[in-house]
């Protein structure tokens, strides 16, 4: 059965089985799924399953509803696919079906196409692009090593020739 698993510390042992019927999520106890956290609105959103996806409708929440960090418009419906995250205020939930995940949200990057196939790489991959700060550190260390080698070569060459007698 599809479910939303709460990832946020302090709530992370909770999950919600998502059904085709609308389920309300919010801070107050009169919601079918209560998340007593100040960043979650009293009646934050409605959700229901539709096939393998979950449909979310923000109910005009104060701090917003986000699917993979893209904000939903209040009153509009949006789809959450398996593996994606839904954030309600500061509470983060991941949609799991129990089946093999077809999308690894927030952990893959499309890097191109080859022969009609899309090439996808994990952000956590050893081949993923390094941050600029790491690149700057490598460049600085490399520059210091090059200067040290040049200085050592100059010293070695001047001492080999030595003064003429």
């Amino acid at each position: 059965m599809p479910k939303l698993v709460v990832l946020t510390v302090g709530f992370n042992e909770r999950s919600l089985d998502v059904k085709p019927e609308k389920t309300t999520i919010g801070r107050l106890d009169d919601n079918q799924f209560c998340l007593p956290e100040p960043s979650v609105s009293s009646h934050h959103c409605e959700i229901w399953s539709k096939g393998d996806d979950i449909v979310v409708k923000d109910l005009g929440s104060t701090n917003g509803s986000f699917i993979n960090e893209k904000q939903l418009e209040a009153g509009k419906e949006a789809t959450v696919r398996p593996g994606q995250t839904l954030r309600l205020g500061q509470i983060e939930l991941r949609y799991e079906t129990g089946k093999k995940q077809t999308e690894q949200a927030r952990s893959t990057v499309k890097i191109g196409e080859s022969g009609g196939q899309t090439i996808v790489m994990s952000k956590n991959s050893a081949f993923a692009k390094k941050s600029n700060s790491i690149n700057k550190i490598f460049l600085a260390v490399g520059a210091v090593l090059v200067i040290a080698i040049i200085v050592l070569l100059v010293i070695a060459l001047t001492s080999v020739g030595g003064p003429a007698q």
Side-chain angles (χ1 to χ4, degrees), residues 12-152:
N12 54 354
E13 295 197 9
R14 302 189 61 195
S15 66
L16 168 66
D17 291 332
V18 183
K19 301 173 182 151
E21 304 83 39
K22 288 184 179 179
T23 301
T24 58
I25 301 176
R27 188 177 65 240
L28 298 181
D29 290 333
D30 64 348
N31 291 285
Q32 284 122 338
F33 191 64
C34 178
L35 291 169
E37 206 280 328
S39 67
V40 176
S41 291
S42 302
H43 299 96
H44 202 100
C45 67
E46 293 179 332
I47 64 165
W48 60 95
S49 66
K50 187 175 184 181
D52 282 340
D53 298 330
I54 294 176
V55 180
V56 179
K57 181 179 179 183
D58 186 274
L59 299 174
S61 63
T62 303
N63 293 314
S65 300
F66 301 80
I67 298 173
N68 283 355
E69 298 306 319
K70 183 179 179 191
Q71 187 166 10
L72 280 61
E73 289 185 47
K76 302 271 182 160
E77 296 177 4
T79 303
V80 182
R81 293 192 168 73
Q84 289 186 320
T85 56
L86 171 65
R87 183 166 57 84
L88 309 175
Q90 297 299 315
I91 302 293
E92 193 168 85
L93 307 103
R94 182 179 53 238
Y95 173 38
E96 297 179 356
T97 62
K99 302 175 189 175
K100 181 180 177 185
Q101 299 299 320
T102 58
E103 179 179 324
Q104 294 184 9
R106 299 176 65 189
S107 65
T108 59
V109 177
K110 178 180 173 183
I111 59 173
E113 294 186 19
S114 175
Q117 291 184 323
T118 301
I119 300 168
V120 177
M121 179 172 64
S122 171
K123 284 185 182 177
N124 298 328
S125 166
F127 300 107
K129 182 179 178 183
K130 292 179 175 50
S131 70
N132 281 340
S133 61
I134 302 251
N135 289 339
K136 289 177 184 175
I137 292 170
F138 281 123
L139 285 173
V141 169
V144 169
L145 287 174
V146 167
I147 291 170
I149 290 170
I150 291 171
V151 168
L152 289 174

